[in-house]
């Protein structure tokens, strides 16, 4: 079978109000913070696109080889694109320095089942099972940077954001989304997250009363602040 975004068995939250909108892929880490700015929950998922494995002339499965060659701690220029992952496989060209502006995810762990990868905001999984072989599951953590954008869906209930996405800030939102959010700041949090004044953490100064959307990501280690992007 083809590579699959992770997310099976995650709890669900209300989806977009228009049922004609396809829910975001399971790898997206879709989350909605309510008006109180509490951490969002994971939203519903749709099946990931599948396809036949790429095979070399000698019969080897190149996709399986690409997944097996990835190492823990490496960074990839891969992100959710609204329908699945932005690349078909983690080939050598997808691997970048973790200090690069194109490093969107970090490989936190490698397992044999994506179901065993850590769940939560800013976390996802990407797996591949060759025919008759054992699966390789990449447990991924989103590598956020100030200035990056996120695909989002605004509704009467709040803001849904695809936390594993990284659309171009100057473009249009991917299909199924109607907003782009720009990351304005990232803050380390004490263990457990506490009862931080999250809006106060996001504001530039005491006079900044603009609306920020916030998520606690990477197991609650960081607070992500974002505002609607105007291009």
């Amino acid at each position: 079978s083809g590579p699959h975004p992770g997310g099976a068995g995650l709890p669900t939250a209300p989806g977009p109000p228009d049922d004609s909108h396809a829910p975001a892929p399971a790898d997206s880490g879709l989350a909605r913070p309510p008006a109180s700015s509490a951490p969002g929950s994971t939203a519903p998922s749709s099946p990931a696109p599948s396809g036949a494995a790429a095979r070399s002339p000698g019969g080897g499965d190149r996709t399986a080889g690409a997944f097996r060659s990835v190492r823990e701690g490496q960074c990839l220029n891969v992100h959710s694109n609204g329908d699945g992952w932005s690349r078909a496989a983690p080939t050598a060209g997808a691997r970048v320095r973790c200090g690069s502006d194109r490093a969107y995810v970090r490989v936190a762990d490698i397992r044999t089942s994506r179901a065993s990868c850590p769940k939560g905001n800013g976390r996802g999984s990407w797996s591949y099972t060759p025919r008759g072989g054992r699966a390789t599951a990449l447990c991924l953590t989103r590598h956020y940077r100030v200035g990056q954008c996120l695909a989002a869906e605004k509704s009467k209930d709040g803001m849904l954001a695809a936390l594993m996405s990284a659309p171009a800030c100057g473009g249009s939102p991917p299909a199924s989304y109607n907003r782009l959010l720009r990351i304005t700041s990232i803050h380390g949090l004490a263990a457990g997250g506490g009862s931080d004044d999250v809006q106060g953490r996001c504001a530039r100064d005491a006079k900044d009363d603009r609306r920020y959307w916030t998520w606690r990501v990477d197991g609650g280690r960081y607070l992500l602040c974002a505002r609607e992007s105007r291009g």
Side-chain angles (χ1 to χ4, degrees):
S1 61
H4 294 281
L10 294 176
T12 60
D18 182 355
D19 291 337
S20 68
H21 287 194
D27 65 81
S28 65
L30 199 69
R32 175 181 60 82
S36 64
S37 297
S41 58
T42 305
S45 62
S46 62
S50 61
R55 297 186 179 276
S56 66
D61 188 332
R62 290 178 293 179
T63 301
F67 273 82
R68 286 196 300 265
S69 64
V70 175
R71 297 291 179 266
E72 181 181 337
Q74 288 183 329
C75 287
L76 309 173
N77 63 351
V78 174
H79 56 83
S80 167
N81 61 10
D83 294 315
W85 292 106
S86 58
R87 284 178 174 265
T91 57
R95 297 165 211 168
V96 295
R97 292 181 300 102
C98 289
S100 169
D101 290 341
R102 299 186 301 121
Y104 299 119
V105 296
R106 180 180 178 275
V107 181
D109 200 359
I110 301 174
R111 302 184 181 182
T112 57
S113 169
R114 70 175 186 264
S116 66
C117 287
K119 309 296 192 298
N121 292 343
R123 292 174 173 175
S125 59
W126 192 12
S127 69
Y128 179 74
T129 306
R131 183 172 298 177
R134 188 174 66 172
T136 299
L138 308 180
C139 303
L140 304 177
T141 299
R142 179 69 165 81
H143 203 52
Y144 297 106
R145 289 180 180 276
V146 171
Q148 290 178 341
C149 281
L150 302 169
E153 172 75 18
K154 190 172 185 178
S155 73
K156 64 181 180 180
D157 297 320
M159 185 76 76
L160 290 160
L163 295 177
M164 297 297 281
S165 67
C169 292
S172 300
S176 305
Y177 301 95
N178 59 22
R179 295 289 191 278
L180 289 178
L181 302 180
R182 188 185 295 269
I183 299 171
T184 57
S185 59
I186 304 167
H187 308 273
L189 294 175
S195 56
D196 301 298
D197 174 14
V198 291
Q199 290 291 315
R201 297 285 295 271
C202 295
R204 290 184 176 181
D205 52 46
K207 297 181 179 180
D208 184 2
D209 60 356
R210 297 173 297 178
R211 176 61 185 271
Y212 291 89
W213 299 96
T214 65
W215 291 266
R216 290 180 172 89
V217 297
D218 197 10
R221 294 175 59 198
Y222 300 99
L223 177 72
L224 188 70
C225 300
R227 295 189 66 250
E228 288 195 45
S229 174
R230 304 302 179 185

